[in-house]
mmCIF file of all heavy atoms in Angstrom:
data_model
loop_
_atom_site.group_PDB
_atom_site.id
_atom_site.type_symbol
_atom_site.label_atom_id
_atom_site.label_comp_id
_atom_site.label_asym_id
_atom_site.label_seq_id
_atom_site.Cartn_x
_atom_site.Cartn_y
_atom_site.Cartn_z
ATOM 1 N N LEU Y 33 0.833 -1.203 0.000
ATOM 2 C CA LEU Y 33 0.000 0.000 0.000
ATOM 3 C C LEU Y 33 0.865 1.249 0.000
ATOM 4 O O LEU Y 33 0.641 2.183 -0.779
ATOM 5 C CB LEU Y 33 -0.909 -0.006 1.228
ATOM 6 C CG LEU Y 33 -1.633 1.325 1.510
ATOM 7 C CD1 LEU Y 33 -2.676 1.608 0.447
ATOM 8 C CD2 LEU Y 33 -2.265 1.318 2.894
ATOM 9 N N ILE Y 34 1.876 1.266 0.854
ATOM 10 C CA ILE Y 34 2.698 2.471 0.992
ATOM 11 C C ILE Y 34 3.471 2.742 -0.291
ATOM 12 O O ILE Y 34 3.559 3.887 -0.747
ATOM 13 C CB ILE Y 34 3.638 2.330 2.201
ATOM 14 C CG1 ILE Y 34 2.797 2.263 3.485
ATOM 15 C CG2 ILE Y 34 4.612 3.503 2.283
ATOM 16 C CD1 ILE Y 34 3.557 1.850 4.714
ATOM 17 N N ARG Y 35 4.009 1.704 -0.903
ATOM 18 C CA ARG Y 35 4.739 1.916 -2.162
ATOM 19 C C ARG Y 35 3.793 2.381 -3.271
ATOM 20 O O ARG Y 35 4.160 3.214 -4.102
ATOM 21 C CB ARG Y 35 5.462 0.631 -2.568
ATOM 22 C CG ARG Y 35 6.644 0.299 -1.661
ATOM 23 C CD ARG Y 35 7.526 -0.793 -2.239
ATOM 24 N NE ARG Y 35 8.630 -1.103 -1.354
ATOM 25 C CZ ARG Y 35 9.768 -0.400 -1.281
ATOM 26 N NH1 ARG Y 35 9.928 0.654 -2.073
ATOM 27 N NH2 ARG Y 35 10.730 -0.748 -0.447
ATOM 28 N N ALA Y 36 2.584 1.852 -3.279
ATOM 29 C CA ALA Y 36 1.625 2.271 -4.300
ATOM 30 C C ALA Y 36 1.249 3.733 -4.122
ATOM 31 O O ALA Y 36 1.213 4.508 -5.092
ATOM 32 C CB ALA Y 36 0.377 1.393 -4.223
ATOM 33 N N VAL Y 37 0.973 4.138 -2.891
ATOM 34 C CA VAL Y 37 0.633 5.537 -2.625
ATOM 35 C C VAL Y 37 1.798 6.441 -3.000
ATOM 36 O O VAL Y 37 1.618 7.490 -3.644
ATOM 37 C CB VAL Y 37 0.243 5.730 -1.144
ATOM 38 C CG1 VAL Y 37 0.141 7.214 -0.791
ATOM 39 C CG2 VAL Y 37 -1.085 5.034 -0.851
ATOM 40 N N THR Y 38 3.002 6.047 -2.633
ATOM 41 C CA THR Y 38 4.186 6.846 -2.937
ATOM 42 C C THR Y 38 4.355 7.009 -4.445
ATOM 43 O O THR Y 38 4.715 8.081 -4.935
ATOM 44 C CB THR Y 38 5.446 6.183 -2.344
ATOM 45 O OG1 THR Y 38 5.279 6.055 -0.925
ATOM 46 C CG2 THR Y 38 6.682 7.015 -2.613
ATOM 47 N N GLY Y 39 4.069 5.943 -5.189
ATOM 48 C CA GLY Y 39 4.209 6.003 -6.639
ATOM 49 C C GLY Y 39 3.165 6.863 -7.321
ATOM 50 O O GLY Y 39 3.403 7.385 -8.413
ATOM 51 N N GLN Y 40 1.999 7.030 -6.695
ATOM 52 C CA GLN Y 40 0.899 7.751 -7.339
ATOM 53 C C GLN Y 40 0.719 9.177 -6.830
ATOM 54 O O GLN Y 40 0.116 10.005 -7.512
ATOM 55 C CB GLN Y 40 -0.409 6.987 -7.110
ATOM 56 C CG GLN Y 40 -0.429 5.587 -7.697
ATOM 57 C CD GLN Y 40 -0.228 5.600 -9.213
ATOM 58 O OE1 GLN Y 40 -0.801 6.434 -9.901
ATOM 59 N NE2 GLN Y 40 0.579 4.691 -9.714
ATOM 60 N N ALA Y 41 1.205 9.484 -5.642
ATOM 61 C CA ALA Y 41 0.922 10.786 -5.031
ATOM 62 C C ALA Y 41 1.612 11.923 -5.773
ATOM 63 O O ALA Y 41 2.767 11.806 -6.191
ATOM 64 C CB ALA Y 41 1.352 10.783 -3.572
ATOM 65 N N THR Y 42 0.911 13.020 -5.924
ATOM 66 C CA THR Y 42 1.464 14.217 -6.545
ATOM 67 C C THR Y 42 1.918 15.229 -5.498
ATOM 68 O O THR Y 42 2.404 16.303 -5.852
ATOM 69 C CB THR Y 42 0.416 14.873 -7.458
ATOM 70 O OG1 THR Y 42 -0.778 15.133 -6.702
ATOM 71 C CG2 THR Y 42 0.076 13.981 -8.636
ATOM 72 N N MET Y 43 1.752 14.883 -4.221
ATOM 73 C CA MET Y 43 2.211 15.735 -3.123
ATOM 74 C C MET Y 43 3.259 14.967 -2.317
ATOM 75 O O MET Y 43 3.423 13.769 -2.499
ATOM 76 C CB MET Y 43 1.029 16.146 -2.229
ATOM 77 C CG MET Y 43 0.367 15.020 -1.463
ATOM 78 S SD MET Y 43 -0.649 13.904 -2.489
ATOM 79 C CE MET Y 43 -2.007 14.991 -2.945
ATOM 80 N N PRO Y 44 4.007 15.635 -1.440
ATOM 81 C CA PRO Y 44 5.009 14.927 -0.636
ATOM 82 C C PRO Y 44 4.378 13.816 0.206
ATOM 83 O O PRO Y 44 3.230 13.924 0.628
ATOM 84 C CB PRO Y 44 5.594 16.021 0.260
ATOM 85 C CG PRO Y 44 5.336 17.294 -0.473
ATOM 86 C CD PRO Y 44 4.031 17.091 -1.188
ATOM 87 N N VAL Y 45 5.145 12.749 0.444
ATOM 88 C CA VAL Y 45 4.683 11.597 1.216
ATOM 89 C C VAL Y 45 5.621 11.392 2.401
ATOM 90 O O VAL Y 45 6.836 11.302 2.228
ATOM 91 C CB VAL Y 45 4.652 10.318 0.350
ATOM 92 C CG1 VAL Y 45 4.164 9.135 1.173
ATOM 93 C CG2 VAL Y 45 3.786 10.514 -0.883
ATOM 94 N N LEU Y 46 5.043 11.333 3.597
ATOM 95 C CA LEU Y 46 5.795 10.906 4.778
ATOM 96 C C LEU Y 46 5.543 9.418 4.924
ATOM 97 O O LEU Y 46 4.428 9.001 5.211
ATOM 98 C CB LEU Y 46 5.321 11.659 6.024
ATOM 99 C CG LEU Y 46 5.800 13.109 6.151
ATOM 100 C CD1 LEU Y 46 5.158 13.776 7.356
ATOM 101 C CD2 LEU Y 46 7.321 13.157 6.270
ATOM 102 N N LYS Y 47 6.573 8.610 4.731
ATOM 103 C CA LYS Y 47 6.334 7.182 4.600
ATOM 104 C C LYS Y 47 7.087 6.357 5.634
ATOM 105 O O LYS Y 47 8.112 6.760 6.156
ATOM 106 C CB LYS Y 47 6.664 6.704 3.196
ATOM 107 C CG LYS Y 47 8.022 7.135 2.671
ATOM 108 C CD LYS Y 47 8.173 6.811 1.215
ATOM 109 C CE LYS Y 47 9.462 7.328 0.609
ATOM 110 N NZ LYS Y 47 9.524 8.779 0.513
ATOM 111 N N HIS Y 48 6.552 5.207 5.878
ATOM 112 C CA HIS Y 48 7.150 4.201 6.753
ATOM 113 C C HIS Y 48 6.902 2.872 6.049
ATOM 114 O O HIS Y 48 5.837 2.299 6.179
ATOM 115 C CB HIS Y 48 6.467 4.239 8.123
ATOM 116 C CG HIS Y 48 6.812 3.086 9.004
ATOM 117 N ND1 HIS Y 48 6.545 3.092 10.346
ATOM 118 C CD2 HIS Y 48 7.400 1.888 8.751
ATOM 119 C CE1 HIS Y 48 6.943 1.944 10.880
ATOM 120 N NE2 HIS Y 48 7.456 1.206 9.925
ATOM 121 N N TYR Y 49 7.884 2.450 5.260
ATOM 122 C CA TYR Y 49 7.672 1.233 4.476
ATOM 123 C C TYR Y 49 7.500 0.016 5.374
ATOM 124 O O TYR Y 49 6.586 -0.762 5.228
ATOM 125 C CB TYR Y 49 8.849 1.002 3.529
ATOM 126 C CG TYR Y 49 8.800 1.851 2.289
ATOM 127 C CD1 TYR Y 49 9.936 2.530 1.839
ATOM 128 C CD2 TYR Y 49 7.633 1.995 1.573
ATOM 129 C CE1 TYR Y 49 9.901 3.312 0.699
ATOM 130 C CE2 TYR Y 49 7.585 2.786 0.430
ATOM 131 C CZ TYR Y 49 8.725 3.433 0.000
ATOM 132 O OH TYR Y 49 8.680 4.208 -1.123
ATOM 133 N N LYS Y 50 8.413 -0.159 6.312
ATOM 134 C CA LYS Y 50 8.333 -1.321 7.193
ATOM 135 C C LYS Y 50 9.315 -1.127 8.338
ATOM 136 O O LYS Y 50 10.172 -0.241 8.304
ATOM 137 C CB LYS Y 50 8.633 -2.613 6.436
ATOM 138 C CG LYS Y 50 9.958 -2.621 5.676
ATOM 139 C CD LYS Y 50 10.081 -3.870 4.831
ATOM 140 C CE LYS Y 50 11.362 -3.824 3.982
ATOM 141 N NZ LYS Y 50 11.498 -5.027 3.146
ATOM 142 N N GLY Y 51 9.163 -1.966 9.366
ATOM 143 C CA GLY Y 51 10.048 -1.898 10.515
ATOM 144 C C GLY Y 51 10.892 -3.152 10.607
ATOM 145 O O GLY Y 51 10.539 -4.079 11.326
ATOM 146 N N VAL Y 52 11.988 -3.200 9.869
ATOM 147 C CA VAL Y 52 12.917 -4.321 9.971
ATOM 148 C C VAL Y 52 14.042 -3.872 10.906
ATOM 149 O O VAL Y 52 14.975 -3.185 10.498
ATOM 150 C CB VAL Y 52 13.474 -4.739 8.599
ATOM 151 C CG1 VAL Y 52 14.450 -5.904 8.757
ATOM 152 C CG2 VAL Y 52 12.340 -5.128 7.660
ATOM 153 N N CYS Y 53 13.910 -4.232 12.175
ATOM 154 C CA CYS Y 53 14.807 -3.736 13.218
ATOM 155 C C CYS Y 53 15.771 -4.838 13.646
ATOM 156 O O CYS Y 53 15.361 -5.992 13.825
ATOM 157 C CB CYS Y 53 14.002 -3.257 14.429
ATOM 158 S SG CYS Y 53 12.691 -2.073 14.013
ATOM 159 N N GLN Y 54 17.034 -4.478 13.837
ATOM 160 C CA GLN Y 54 18.068 -5.426 14.252
ATOM 161 C C GLN Y 54 18.630 -5.057 15.628
ATOM 162 O O GLN Y 54 18.652 -3.876 16.000
ATOM 163 C CB GLN Y 54 19.244 -5.434 13.267
ATOM 164 C CG GLN Y 54 19.033 -6.260 12.014
ATOM 165 C CD GLN Y 54 18.030 -5.663 11.041
ATOM 166 O OE1 GLN Y 54 17.218 -6.356 10.476
ATOM 167 N NE2 GLN Y 54 18.092 -4.354 10.861
ATOM 168 N N ILE Y 55 19.100 -6.057 16.345
ATOM 169 C CA ILE Y 55 19.939 -5.861 17.521
ATOM 170 C C ILE Y 55 21.268 -6.550 17.246
ATOM 171 O O ILE Y 55 21.301 -7.708 16.800
ATOM 172 C CB ILE Y 55 19.301 -6.439 18.796
ATOM 173 C CG1 ILE Y 55 18.134 -5.558 19.257
ATOM 174 C CG2 ILE Y 55 20.335 -6.552 19.917
ATOM 175 C CD1 ILE Y 55 17.452 -6.048 20.528
ATOM 176 N N PHE Y 56 22.363 -5.823 17.487
ATOM 177 C CA PHE Y 56 23.691 -6.408 17.345
ATOM 178 C C PHE Y 56 24.282 -6.616 18.729
ATOM 179 O O PHE Y 56 24.481 -5.665 19.489
ATOM 180 C CB PHE Y 56 24.606 -5.495 16.524
ATOM 181 C CG PHE Y 56 26.061 -5.870 16.595
ATOM 182 C CD1 PHE Y 56 26.482 -7.171 16.318
ATOM 183 C CD2 PHE Y 56 27.027 -4.923 16.943
ATOM 184 C CE1 PHE Y 56 27.822 -7.526 16.398
ATOM 185 C CE2 PHE Y 56 28.369 -5.268 17.014
ATOM 186 C CZ PHE Y 56 28.775 -6.571 16.744
ATOM 187 N N ALA Y 57 24.532 -7.874 19.096
ATOM 188 C CA ALA Y 57 25.176 -8.205 20.358
ATOM 189 C C ALA Y 57 26.681 -8.261 20.121
ATOM 190 O O ALA Y 57 27.194 -9.196 19.484
ATOM 191 C CB ALA Y 57 24.655 -9.533 20.890
ATOM 192 N N ASP Y 58 27.386 -7.244 20.619
ATOM 193 C CA ASP Y 58 28.825 -7.128 20.422
ATOM 194 C C ASP Y 58 29.559 -8.138 21.320
ATOM 195 O O ASP Y 58 28.992 -8.694 22.268
ATOM 196 C CB ASP Y 58 29.255 -5.696 20.758
ATOM 197 C CG ASP Y 58 30.642 -5.359 20.259
ATOM 198 O OD1 ASP Y 58 31.180 -6.111 19.431
ATOM 199 O OD2 ASP Y 58 31.197 -4.323 20.703
ATOM 200 N N ALA Y 59 30.842 -8.320 21.061
ATOM 201 C CA ALA Y 59 31.633 -9.299 21.813
ATOM 202 C C ALA Y 59 31.653 -8.991 23.306
ATOM 203 O O ALA Y 59 31.724 -9.906 24.136
ATOM 204 C CB ALA Y 59 33.057 -9.338 21.265
ATOM 205 N N SER Y 60 31.564 -7.709 23.663
ATOM 206 C CA SER Y 60 31.678 -7.320 25.072
ATOM 207 C C SER Y 60 30.328 -7.187 25.769
ATOM 208 O O SER Y 60 30.267 -6.673 26.887
ATOM 209 C CB SER Y 60 32.422 -5.985 25.184
ATOM 210 O OG SER Y 60 31.659 -4.956 24.566
ATOM 211 N N CYS Y 61 29.257 -7.624 25.136
ATOM 212 C CA CYS Y 61 27.931 -7.413 25.743
ATOM 213 C C CYS Y 61 27.797 -8.173 27.058
ATOM 214 O O CYS Y 61 28.413 -9.218 27.258
ATOM 215 C CB CYS Y 61 26.815 -7.808 24.779
ATOM 216 S SG CYS Y 61 26.602 -9.588 24.554
ATOM 217 N N ASP Y 62 26.978 -7.623 27.942
ATOM 218 C CA ASP Y 62 26.618 -8.300 29.193
ATOM 219 C C ASP Y 62 25.568 -9.352 28.832
ATOM 220 O O ASP Y 62 24.443 -9.019 28.472
ATOM 221 C CB ASP Y 62 26.063 -7.271 30.171
ATOM 222 C CG ASP Y 62 25.675 -7.869 31.507
ATOM 223 O OD1 ASP Y 62 24.990 -8.918 31.514
ATOM 224 O OD2 ASP Y 62 26.010 -7.273 32.547
ATOM 225 N N VAL Y 63 25.920 -10.628 28.909
ATOM 226 C CA VAL Y 63 25.058 -11.692 28.396
ATOM 227 C C VAL Y 63 23.708 -11.726 29.113
ATOM 228 O O VAL Y 63 22.651 -11.816 28.461
ATOM 229 C CB VAL Y 63 25.767 -13.062 28.496
ATOM 230 C CG1 VAL Y 63 24.790 -14.196 28.193
ATOM 231 C CG2 VAL Y 63 26.935 -13.113 27.531
ATOM 232 N N ALA Y 64 23.708 -11.649 30.425
ATOM 233 C CA ALA Y 64 22.442 -11.721 31.169
ATOM 234 C C ALA Y 64 21.531 -10.553 30.792
ATOM 235 O O ALA Y 64 20.328 -10.728 30.565
ATOM 236 C CB ALA Y 64 22.720 -11.715 32.672
#
């Protein structure tokens, strides 16, 4: 839906395509 609206809109679009969020656990992280 968001990509379709973005492709058709003639005015600016404030968009949020998706929330693909990552966590990176570094070597020094507190495991617990």
Side-chain angles (χ1 to χ4, degrees):
L33 168 69
I34 295 168
R35 290 192 181 278
V37 169
T38 301
Q40 298 300 318
T42 55
M43 66 287 292
V45 180
L46 284 175
K47 50 189 175 292
H48 169 165
Y49 281 134
K50 54 187 176 180
V52 179
C53 308
Q54 279 71 222
I55 287 181
F56 167 52
D58 195 14
S60 65
C61 74
D62 181 313
V63 170

